[in-house]
Amino acid sequence: MIVDLRSDTVTRPTPAMLDAMMQASVGDDVFGEDPTVNKLEAMAAALFGMEAALYCPTGTMSNQIAIKVHTQPGDEVICDRTAHVYQYEGGGIAFNAGAQVKLLDGANGRITAQQVADGINPDDVHKAHTSLVCLENTVNRGGGSCYDLAAIRAIRQVCDERDLKLHLDGARLFNALVARGESPRQYGALFHSISICLNKGLGCPIGSILIGPAAFIKRARRIRKVFGGGMRQAGYMAASGVYALEHHVERLAIDHGHARTIAQALEKAPFTASVLPVETNIIIFEVNRPPADIVALLKQQGILAIAISPTQIRFVLHLDVSKEMVEHVVKTIGLIG
Ligand SMILES: *Cc1c(COP(=O)(O)O)cnc(C)c1O
């Protein structure tokens, strides 16, 4: 038995999802003629109560397109120090948008309205023009933790007062919505743009969706083409997104339950120093031995995980991890002395 907890990107399409993909009607999406891409985009926009959406190959591309559209070269983007847009997108903010970044020290990746307000540069020729704030929800390096809506509302208020745009890297936003019992519309009302990964816990082989006002998406479509992301008969892939939005959202709660079960076993394990609070499908824990040793022991039992720092290991739950696999993980944790 192989239990792959390295990431929720490792999922394979289910037979039913593959079937939906095979049945898709397609056309040339660069001409705007792929009915399935159009359906996915309309569905996502309606779900969030926003005007339009754009299907992209990756979450990195949808974030980078949003940042490019919201900024001018030389501008400054505010985000947390651990944010994916800064840490894991290859320096894309500098490369693609010619913008620089102001990093804030959030609590497990979550920043506050006060920190944002303090981070905005004064209107002074010496200073970069602050134009954009990027939040992440759930927060990957925060152990899949979720923002409180009230905290986001306060940040949006600062953005409105100071004429900044607010983008959400919502790679795992549906995990947050399911965990908190919130609705997509509440998020649509708070952000100028939202990027969502379909290729993570939602189980699609590839794909991301960028959502926002019609004028924003029109500009985003041009940037997607410039980035080389204008795909032709993309409907075969977009069909997996339609299927996932219809069938794979509610079930995220199962992954969250699995994560809690494994976290409880970790709390009791002698090699665990601490576990970040588990709210969704990610578990980040500190170990009191070299993480590589624990990862190797797990691997001997067919459990794959990643050491994400010199002291931390990450487990990510997803739809290819069954109840039986979770039991195997719990049992194995109990056996490591
Ligand atoms: C995975 C991820 C992305 C980007 O996704 P890709 O589709 O792999 O490019 C963006 N933000 C966060 C927080 C992620 O976890």
Side-chain angles (χ1 to χ4, degrees), residues 9 57-61 63 84 89 136 138 140 169 171-172 197 199-200 207-208:
T9 54
T58 66
T60 299
M61 191 186 283
N63 278 331
H84 194 283
E89 298 188 7
E136 191 174 302
T138 67
N140 179 16
D169 175 356
R172 299 186 179 84
C197 282
N199 57 3
K200 301 260 165 91
S208 167

Side-chain angles (χ1 to χ4, degrees), residues 187-234:
Y187 277 79
L190 283 174
F191 289 91
H192 295 100
S193 56
I194 299 177
S195 130
I196 288 171
C197 282
L198 300 165
N199 57 3
K200 301 260 165 91
L202 292 178
C204 299
I206 71 164
S208 167
I209 191 106
L210 179 63
I211 314 165
F216 166 85
I217 293 296
K218 182 161 185 246
R219 293 180 63 203
R221 196 174 290 280
R222 171 176 284 274
I223 302 297
R224 185 185 68 175
K225 188 75 178 111
V226 175
F227 284 180
M231 300 180 288
R232 303 296 177 170
Q233 284 73 37

Side-chain angles (χ1 to χ4, degrees), residues 126-137:
H126 296 90
K127 294 292 196 177
H129 174 237
T130 311
S131 55
L132 175 66
V133 177
C134 291
L135 303 183
E136 191 174 302
N137 203 27

